[in-house]
Amino acid sequence: MPTTEQLSAPKAPTPRVTYRAALMRDASDQAEVFYHAVMQGAASHYELSQRRAWANALPREASAWAARQALYTTLVAVCDGRCVGFLELDIAKGRIETLYVWPSLNGRGIGTTLLIHAERILLEQGVDRVEIEASLVLFDRLLRRGWESLGEQWVERSGESLKRYRLEKRLSAIET
C-alpha cells in the first residue's frame, strides 16, 4: 500500500528532448543510436542478415562518428544529456545523409523535428530542395511529410542487398 508521502509526491516530469548541433562528446551515442536503430528499429522491414550488413557498414566507434561530424552538419536530439537521435546534412549537396532515432523513441516526433531543423538550415543557405535515400523504415513517413519518391534503389552491404528509396522535397519558406 502506498504511503501518504508517495501519494503526495509530485510525479517525475517526462524527459524533455532538446535539439542542437552535435558535439564531439555525442559521437559514442551516435554510434549506439545508429546500431540499435538498424538492428532493432528496422527489424520489421529487413532480415537479420541485411541488418547485420547494414550495421557493419559504419564502425560502432566514437572516433568514426566524430570524423563524420567534420564532414557533415550534424544535428542531434538530446534527452537527459544523451544523444537519442541524429541527422547528418550535406548542405552543399542539399542532401540528408543519415537520420536515426533510438528505437524505443520512434513515433514521438524526434525524427520529424530533426528534419524540420535541417530544412530550415537549408533554406537559410539558399537551398530550395533536399534529397535523401531512405530505408523502408522511413519511406512512408517521408511521403506523408510531402516528400516525392524518385524511385527505388538497391544498395549492397557486405554481400546483402537492401532496398531503399530516393526521395526529394522542394523547400519553401513560410512567412509568420
Side-chain angles (χ1 to χ4, degrees), residues 132-149:
I132 191 170
E133 289 164 352
S135 70
L136 301 177
V137 177
L138 193 54
F139 178 65
D140 288 333
R141 293 175 186 180
L142 290 177
L143 289 178
R144 289 192 300 269
R145 287 203 69 244
W147 289 72
E148 176 186 340
S149 176

Side-chain angles (χ1 to χ4, degrees), residues 28-158:
S28 63
D29 287 343
Q30 284 179 257
E32 292 304 305
V33 169
F34 168 73
Y35 179 81
H36 289 281
V38 170
M39 293 305 295
Q40 296 166 7
S44 63
H45 294 86
Y46 295 93
E47 298 295 325
L48 179 59
S49 59
Q50 293 174 308
R51 288 180 281 130
R52 283 184 177 147
W54 182 1
N56 289 330
L58 292 170
R60 197 171 172 185
E61 299 169 5
S63 59
W65 291 92
R68 290 177 67 88
Q69 288 178 6
L71 294 174
Y72 305 112
T73 298
T74 306
L75 308 175
V76 295
V78 178
C79 183
D80 291 333
R82 303 292 302 264
C83 168
V84 296
F86 67 93
L87 178 149
E88 293 175 323
L89 179 63
D90 185 330
I91 295 172
K93 292 182 179 175
R95 181 179 159 77
I96 294 170
E97 292 295 326
T98 62
L99 173 59
Y100 293 99
V101 175
W102 191 264
S104 64
L105 298 176
N106 278 339
R108 297 185 185 199
I110 294 170
T112 297
T113 303
L114 287 166
L115 284 168
I116 290 168
H117 286 299
E119 290 171 14
R120 178 187 46 83
I121 290 168
L122 289 168
L123 280 168
E124 288 172 356
Q125 296 299 313
V127 178
D128 65 355
R129 64 180 61 206
V130 60
E131 291 185 0
I132 191 170
E133 289 164 352
S135 70
L136 301 177
V137 177
L138 193 54
F139 178 65
D140 288 333
R141 293 175 186 180
L142 290 177
L143 289 178
R144 289 192 300 269
R145 287 203 69 244
W147 289 72
E148 176 186 340
S149 176
L150 302 177
E152 90 180 29
Q153 297 179 324
W154 290 87
V155 62
E156 187 270 330
R157 299 283 184 258
S158 300

